[in-house]
Amino acid sequence: MSTLTKILVVLLSLFSIFLCGMMVSYVGSANNYRKLYKEEQTARDAAQSDAIKKADLYKEQVAKTKELEDRLRLEINALQERNNQMAANLQKTERLSQEYQARADSWKGVMTGFEQSVSTMLDSLKLTQDQLEKARAQNIQDQKELNQLTADLYDKIVQLQRLESERRRLLEQKTELEKQVTQFASGTTVIAASPVTQISDNARPAGTPISSDIQGLIMEINQSLVTLSVGSADGVQKGMTFHVVRGSEFLCNVVVTDVDINKSAGILEMVQQQPKIGDTVATKL
Amino acid sequence: MAKRKIAISSDVYTAILALALLAVVGTAAFVAFKCGEYYGWDSLFTVVKAR
């Protein structure tokens, strides 16, 4: 074997080993494009199916959106019609409100006038009530004076009747004495004079007329005790029952427990309403 | 006939050649295995058509 052959053998072997190493390393590190292709194909199929599903879903959503849009358009139209109607109603209501406001203003003026009139009338009523109270008090006072005068009048009548009987008795006595003087002058027997009218020692004041209907007023009230403006001079007796009325309204009863000449006192019974000074009392309703 | 005398150096070079051959054969087998594994055994001698 020649030297050149040996050199070639060695070089060929070295290059072969070197190239084989490069080949092995290249093939060992090369990518598996078929596998990558299949993976990419699988991914593409999945993406396509996903895209189809998305497209279907998109179509479905578009259909739903269109349906919703139609429905909302109808609702919008209905709401617009309702809005127009409500706007018309609002205008009508505002017009009515203005009319009512004008009426309210006019009524307010009228009410102000009424209030002033009522205030004036209340003042007049108060003044009239004051005058009425004064008149009632004066009436009570006059009633008391009248009762006093009536009692005095009864006393005077009694005295007058007594004096009249005394005068009649004295006249009879005078006549009898004149007869005796005449008989004495003619010489006849003297007969003791005796008046025809006997002296009455039991002359009494005239009885108080008992009226079947006695009326008076309440003069004083102290809880359940009241003082009436009528007394024994008016025919009031203990135990009598007076009816207290105000106008045509029954208030209560008063049972007389104490009687004076021109006034009496009693207690309240069957109280429907609390009586006041000036209320009328009567034995008959 | 005279017997040829074989030198020891020629055995060394034979071994080197054998080693080189073994490397080449191994490389070819490895490349063939990888090619068959990756792209199918049909692709050893044919070009796979694109689908």
Side-chain angles (χ1 to χ4, degrees):
Chain A
M1 184 179 294
S2 65
T3 304
L4 183 59
T5 303
K6 292 178 182 176
I7 291 171
L8 287 175
V9 167
V10 170
L11 288 177
L12 182 62
S13 299
L14 289 174
F15 278 114
S16 298
I17 292 170
F18 179 71
L19 288 174
C20 288
M22 288 180 63
M23 183 65 72
V24 167
S25 64
Y26 173 74
V27 171
S29 63
N31 291 324
N32 189 350
Y33 288 104
R34 186 182 183 187
K35 184 179 178 183
L36 292 175
Y37 170 74
K38 287 184 178 177
E39 289 177 357
E40 291 295 332
Q41 191 176 19
T42 305
R44 189 202 63 182
D45 294 339
Q48 282 182 350
S49 63
D50 192 20
I52 291 170
K53 289 181 181 177
K54 295 289 184 185
D56 295 338
L57 185 61
Y58 171 74
K59 289 179 181 177
E60 186 179 355
Q61 291 294 331
V62 166
K64 286 183 179 177
T65 305
K66 191 173 182 181
E67 183 181 357
L68 182 63
E69 185 179 357
D70 294 338
R71 195 177 64 193
L72 289 176
R73 189 173 288 113
L74 291 175
E75 288 184 359
I76 287 171
N77 291 333
L79 288 175
Q80 281 181 349
E81 289 179 0
R82 190 176 174 187
N83 188 18
N84 293 331
Q85 187 177 1
M86 290 183 75
N89 290 335
L90 179 63
Q91 289 179 354
K92 186 177 178 181
T93 306
E94 285 179 350
R95 190 169 61 251
L96 289 174
S97 174
Q98 290 176 355
E99 291 178 2
Y100 288 139
Q101 186 66 36
R103 287 186 187 176
D105 292 339
S106 63
W107 280 109
K108 186 178 180 182
V110 172
M111 288 303 295
T112 304
F114 276 141
E115 285 180 356
Q116 291 177 354
S117 300
V118 169
S119 176
T120 306
M121 291 174 71
L122 284 175
D123 293 339
S124 300
L125 179 62
K126 191 173 182 181
L127 185 61
T128 306
Q129 284 180 344
D130 292 339
Q131 291 177 353
L132 181 62
E133 290 295 329
K134 289 179 181 176
R136 281 181 176 172
Q138 186 65 33
N139 188 18
I140 292 170
Q141 187 69 26
D142 292 344
Q143 190 73 25
K144 288 173 64 177
E145 291 179 359
L146 178 62
N147 292 332
Q148 184 67 36
L149 288 174
T150 303
D152 293 343
L153 180 62
Y154 285 148
D155 289 341
K156 297 296 183 186
I157 288 172
V158 169
Q159 291 178 3
L160 188 62
Q161 288 177 350
R162 188 187 306 163
L163 290 173
E164 183 67 22
S165 67
E166 183 70 19
R167 186 184 67 83
R168 198 177 302 157
R169 187 183 62 80
L170 288 175
L171 281 175
E172 291 177 355
Q173 194 173 5
K174 176 187 171 189
T175 305
E176 188 66 26
L177 285 175
E178 283 176 355
K179 285 180 181 178
Q180 287 180 5
V181 168
T182 303
Q183 290 175 358
F184 182 72
S186 61
T188 56
T189 306
V190 177
I191 301 172
S194 59
V196 175
T197 303
Q198 298 298 323
I199 297 174
S200 176
D201 293 335
N202 55 357
R204 296 286 183 271
T208 304
I210 299 174
S211 176
S212 59
D213 185 11
I214 304 172
Q215 289 188 350
L217 298 172
I218 292 179
M219 297 168 56
E220 189 177 351
I221 298 176
N222 186 9
Q223 294 182 352
S224 63
L225 294 176
V226 295
T227 302
L228 307 180
S229 63
V230 291
S232 59
D234 300 304
V236 178
Q237 295 177 351
K238 281 186 179 180
M240 290 182 69
T241 301
F242 282 87
H243 308 293
V244 182
V245 295
R246 186 181 301 153
S248 61
E249 187 179 7
F250 173 77
L251 301 180
C252 61
N253 282 341
V254 176
V255 177
V256 176
T257 56
D258 191 13
V259 181
D260 202 351
I261 293 175
N262 56 358
K263 63 181 180 180
S264 58
I267 57 174
L268 299 176
E269 286 185 350
M270 296 175 62
V271 178
Q272 305 293 324
Q273 288 187 25
Q274 189 66 25
K276 294 192 298 187
I277 295 173
D279 286 336
T280 305
V281 297
T283 54
K284 290 186 178 178
L285 288 175
Chain B
M1 178 176 174
K3 202 175 181 179
R4 284 189 68 179
K5 186 179 180 182
I6 300 172
I8 296 174
S9 61
S10 70
D11 295 334
V12 171
Y13 291 113
T14 302
I16 290 171
L17 283 174
L19 181 62
L21 180 63
L22 183 64
V24 169
V25 170
T27 300
F30 177 73
V31 171
F33 175 74
K34 279 290 183 183
C35 185
E37 184 187 6
Y38 284 179
Y39 305 107
W41 297 106
D42 294 336
S43 62
L44 284 179
F45 303 103
T46 58
V47 176
V48 177
K49 293 182 180 177
R51 293 179 182 174

